[in-house]
Amino acid sequence: MYFPTEQAQSLSEAVNSRHSCRSFRSTPIPNDQIRQIFTLAQQTPSWCNTQPWQVQFLTGAATRDFASELTRHAASDPSGNPDLQFPAEYVGEFGQRRRSSGRALFAAVGLARDDLAGRARQSALNYEFFGAPHVAIISVPKSLNDYALVDAGGYVSTLMLIATSFGLGTIAQASIARYSPFVRDYFRMNEQQRVVCAVSFGYADETNPANAFRTDRSSIDDVVIGLSQ
Ligand SMILES: Cc1cc2nc3c(=O)[nH]c(=O)nc-3n(C[C@H](O)[C@H](O)[C@H](O)COP(=O)(O)O)c2cc1C
């Protein structure tokens, strides 16, 4: 299936322009466009074509209600209980990349290194989905084990790139998975589902400094072994 729109970006343009959006306008996306995005994302490949992703999608007031409840819950239980183990530490280059993207965000929004309260407030915006009018909660069944997570990662990436090509802002958010049991209860999800992450959607608020920085990437020569120059 193909949804031709004259405005849609090419894949390379979408890959180049996608970035994590951390401030959205409240204007909702037309429902037919949301349906197109999810229809195209459904083309994501998966192991044995199992298509293990399940999506709980919220719009408008329902997004804001969930955000309020999640914010309240996060404040009452800061450590949480994620279905997928968060890293205990980020060693070597992983720590360095993590710090550098964190610093870029905090510098963009004008937070000093030692402003721990300000940083905590910025992080808590995750639970408000950065003001997005729509959020998709992505989960997979436990029974399919770890490759279902690989499939879910492909799905999340495809979803974000399609939305970008339609001129929308997106962000993947593992932070909400810290509260997996709460999320499962809220949506009355099957106990056998593993909560992977959220994807928030909407029109980016381009005036917000949180959207003004870009992260960098390692050279392919550090990553791809055996490729000639
Ligand atoms: C699976 C996944 C989970 C993420 N979780 C969060 C999150 O909880 N909060 C957040 O602000 N960013 C989150 N991000 C965004 C990453 O920080 C971001 O993709 C990375 O720094 C690269 O920046 P870019 O997306 O702007 O290219 C997540 C990204 C992925 C792929």
Side-chain angles (χ1 to χ4, degrees), residues 65-85:
D65 288 349
F66 179 49
S68 304
E69 293 295 314
L70 183 60
T71 300
R72 210 187 333 264
H73 181 80
S76 72
D77 175 21
S79 45
N81 184 17
D83 286 343
L84 312 178
Q85 283 300 302

Side-chain angles (χ1 to χ4, degrees), residues 41-87:
Q42 206 52 26
Q43 292 303 113
T44 306
S46 54
W47 185 308
C48 298
N49 199 24
T50 47
Q51 305 164 57
W53 43 83
Q54 192 184 81
V55 182
Q56 316 286 335
F57 185 72
L58 296 177
T59 232
T63 311
R64 302 279 49 97
D65 288 349
F66 179 49
S68 304
E69 293 295 314
L70 183 60
T71 300
R72 210 187 333 264
H73 181 80
S76 72
D77 175 21
S79 45
N81 184 17
D83 286 343
L84 312 178
Q85 283 300 302
F86 283 20

Side-chain angles (χ1 to χ4, degrees), residues 5 31 36 46 102 105 206 226:
T5 67
N31 199 52
Q36 286 183 0
S46 54
L105 168 62
E206 302 292 4

Side-chain angles (χ1 to χ4, degrees), residues 28-41 57-59 133-135 159 162 166 168 201:
I29 305 167
N31 199 52
D32 57 347
Q33 193 168 61
I34 295 173
R35 293 195 65 89
Q36 286 183 0
I37 292 168
F38 281 109
T39 303
L40 287 167
F57 185 72
L58 296 177
T59 232
H134 310 282
V135 65
L159 200 56
I162 295 163
F166 284 9
L168 302 170
F201 288 78

Side-chain angles (χ1 to χ4, degrees), residues 22 39 46 50 52 114 119 185 192 223:
R22 293 187 180 85
T39 303
S46 54
T50 47
D114 56 356
R119 289 177 174 221
D185 282 358
Q192 297 306 310
V223 177

